[in-house]
Amino acid sequence: LFHRERQLVADAMAANRAAALAELGTRFERDAQQREIELRSRDNAVQAAQLANRERAQRVWALLAAVALLAVVLIVLLLRRMRETQRELKSRQAALRVQSERDTLTGLANRRHFQQAMAEHSKRDASGGFCGSLLLVDIDHFKHINDGHGHGVGDSVLVEVARRLVAAVREGDLVARWGGEEFIVFAPGIG
């Protein structure tokens, strides 16, 4: 009986030990599975965060590319506009220069342009002196034309005199309106 009881106790202890080991193994496996699930969940979260970061980075690069393209387009448009504005400005400056150098009534050079042309001619001449001829033309009794026939007729006379002077001189000669009814002609190269 003693041996049998001992055998039963040993079998019960072995069964208890096996049950305890099985329970510990089951609990260990469950804990291992739980840890594995948590690790995989963390890995999934990390991978999702990496994918989200890549997506954000792609969006940022796409936005930067769009902004750069827009900036290039704006710069090109601004450069075109600036060139057009510069062309228009040069055109207007040339028109203003012509207006500032021309007599509005006769279309001849005015006194300022004549003086500039003379200064340039003096600079070009090797001797530094004056080489050419000057002819001063004055319309006699012009005041009587204006007083007797009106300023409109006087203007017509000035225009016609200017036209005839230009027709009478050489191509390189400069005809300018010096004052009211006075004209001046510069003929370079003639003594």
Side-chain angles (χ1 to χ4, degrees), residues 40-50:
R40 288 189 181 175
S41 168
R42 287 180 188 163
D43 284 345
N44 287 341
V46 167
Q47 288 176 355
Q50 287 174 344

Side-chain angles (χ1 to χ4, degrees), residues 11-167:
D11 288 342
M13 278 187 74
N16 281 344
R17 193 176 319 136
L21 281 174
E23 185 180 327
L24 279 175
T26 305
R27 195 181 300 163
F28 179 78
E29 284 180 23
R30 218 177 334 169
D31 288 345
Q33 285 177 350
Q34 186 66 29
R35 280 192 300 273
E36 184 72 25
I37 289 172
E38 286 176 9
L39 283 175
R40 288 189 181 175
S41 168
R42 287 180 188 163
D43 284 345
N44 287 341
V46 167
Q47 288 176 355
Q50 287 174 344
L51 285 174
N53 286 341
R54 281 187 204 146
E55 228 175 83
R56 284 188 202 112
Q58 287 174 347
R59 285 185 196 151
V60 165
W61 282 111
L63 284 173
L64 286 175
V67 166
L69 181 65
L70 183 62
V72 167
V73 167
L74 285 174
I75 288 171
V76 167
L77 289 174
L78 286 174
L79 284 174
R80 282 185 183 171
R81 178 69 185 249
M82 188 174 70
R83 286 183 185 145
E84 289 172 10
T85 303
Q86 284 177 341
R87 265 187 251 123
E88 186 177 333
L89 180 63
K90 285 181 183 178
S91 171
R92 288 185 180 183
Q93 283 175 340
L96 283 173
R97 185 177 302 114
V98 167
Q99 287 177 354
S100 72
E101 295 175 348
R102 295 281 167 204
D103 178 57
T104 55
L105 178 64
T106 62
L108 297 176
N110 62 15
R111 181 187 293 233
R112 181 173 358 127
H113 178 67
F114 180 80
Q115 289 171 338
Q116 287 173 350
M118 294 304 295
E120 288 175 19
H121 177 72
S122 295
K123 286 179 188 174
R124 277 185 267 141
D125 190 12
S127 66
F130 178 80
C131 179
S133 296
L134 289 177
L135 176 66
L136 186 61
V137 178
D138 181 55
I139 302 173
D140 289 337
H141 311 293
F142 186 72
K143 185 170 178 355
H144 296 300
I145 295 170
N146 270 343
D147 292 343
H149 301 284
H151 289 281
V153 172
D155 289 349
S156 297
V157 168
L158 288 173
V159 170
E160 183 61 24
V161 168
R163 188 187 66 75
R164 289 185 184 197
L165 281 172
V166 169

